[in-house]
Amino acid sequence: MGFFDLFKMKKKGDEYKKKQQEAIDNHVDTNMDNLKVGGSIKMPMLFTPQLADFSERYMKISDHHNIKFKDKKPSRWGVLDSGDLFIKKNGFKVELIRQIQDIDSFMASMDEELIFALLELEEHEVTGLNGEEVINSDDKLIKVTENFSMLKTGDYLVQRDELFATSNMFDSGDFRYIEIKSMDSKNYIYIFIMNDGETLVFESEVRGKEDFDFV
């Protein structure tokens, strides 16, 4: 390895250390309950390949993504640094969430019949309640048929299916929100279907709260 290669590595290392120190010095007190913007979180050792780049890093909460539902408690995602990773409280545990970019590959890893049955609402699955349309879907189960990204093969259960959700993530108004959990509760899938048909998919890994340092 030449001198200039060593110099570049040293410079990159110095820049990383500087950013880490700035995150520590300029922190705002935060915890899992408030996820205050400006607060920093030290990540644990992360062995999942899709999360490995974030392992043992100090990451700053730069924003909140609030997902709101009609007459139900909203969900809050903390945006970590550049927005490639999100954090969410899940009971006494923590979810690390990332967006799936390759939707086609994601769909190819699913049981096609079950996933399309979930996504394509039939007329009788949308009913009126107190003057509002709500989803009362027959489809509560999907299957991951081959490992994909953080998702392992197996059965996943639909936890929530909301016809009208809104979020400050988007300017597109209402969207359909689907929340799906693995049988062992270690992974979640979130599907957002916009009014124009655009579909966003997120995956998550659930970890113990004690793994994280809120500083």
Side-chain angles (χ1 to χ4, degrees):
M1 182 179 291
F3 172 78
F4 289 107
D5 291 327
L6 289 171
F7 179 76
K8 288 178 182 177
M9 287 182 65
K10 182 179 184 303
K11 185 177 180 182
K12 186 175 181 181
D14 290 344
E15 289 175 352
Y16 175 76
K17 289 179 182 178
K18 182 180 178 182
K19 288 182 179 179
Q20 296 291 284
Q21 191 60 47
E22 286 176 352
I24 297 170
D25 293 342
N26 301 322
H27 78 273
V28 174
D29 287 339
T30 190
N31 57 54
M32 197 65 242
D33 293 314
N34 60 40
L35 292 177
K36 283 185 179 179
V37 171
S40 295
I41 300 170
K42 185 181 181 188
M43 309 297 282
M45 179 68 75
L46 298 167
F47 297 102
T48 303
Q50 292 75 19
L51 299 174
D53 287 346
F54 306 104
S55 188
E56 295 190 305
R57 285 175 53 183
Y58 283 94
M59 301 191 72
K60 183 170 287 188
I61 300 173
S62 60
D63 200 358
H64 290 151
H65 283 341
N66 298 306
I67 305 171
K68 297 181 179 180
F69 313 98
K70 291 182 182 294
D71 303 322
K72 295 181 182 178
K73 186 177 179 180
S75 179
R76 170 181 283 186
W77 296 8
V79 183
L80 296 180
D81 286 349
S82 63
D84 295 325
L85 192 66
F86 310 92
I87 191 166
K88 173 180 177 287
K89 182 180 179 182
N90 186 329
F92 294 104
K93 295 190 176 183
V94 171
E95 278 185 66
L96 292 177
I97 305 169
R98 63 186 293 275
Q99 185 174 353
I100 294 174
Q101 301 294 341
D102 190 346
I103 302 296
D104 290 339
S105 294
F106 165 75
M107 294 296 287
S109 72
M110 312 297 288
D111 181 300
E112 184 176 290
E113 183 177 347
L114 292 176
I115 188 66
F116 279 108
L118 172 65
L119 297 179
E120 296 176 0
L121 286 173
E122 298 181 32
E123 187 175 343
H124 74 276
E125 293 179 310
V126 180
T127 60
L129 181 65
N130 298 325
E132 297 281 354
E133 286 186 321
V134 296
I135 293 174
N136 186 16
S137 175
D138 301 329
D139 308 301
K140 302 296 184 185
L141 175 73
I142 65 170
K143 291 179 182 287
V144 177
T145 56
E146 57 184 82
N147 292 341
F148 173 79
S149 192
M150 296 195 297
L151 306 175
K152 308 301 182 186
T153 58
D155 293 345
Y156 288 66
L157 294 176
V158 177
Q159 301 296 295
R160 299 184 68 172
D161 194 345
E162 304 284 348
L163 192 57
F164 300 109
T166 59
S167 176
N168 61 334
M169 295 189 206
F170 320 110
D171 298 322
S172 55
D174 292 335
F175 59 92
R176 182 180 172 197
Y177 168 95
I178 307 172
E179 179 180 315
I180 308 164
K181 181 175 72 172
S182 63
M183 296 292 283
D184 62 6
S185 302
K186 291 182 178 179
N187 298 95
Y188 280 73
I189 301 168
Y190 298 94
I191 302 176
F192 301 166
I193 304 175
M194 306 299 161
N195 286 324
D196 62 2
E198 181 185 8
T199 300
L200 304 178
V201 183
F202 299 82
E203 61 179 342
S204 78
E205 179 176 289
V206 179
R207 300 185 61 97
K209 187 176 178 180
E210 65 279 359
D211 291 348
F212 299 83
D213 287 332
F214 295 88
V215 294

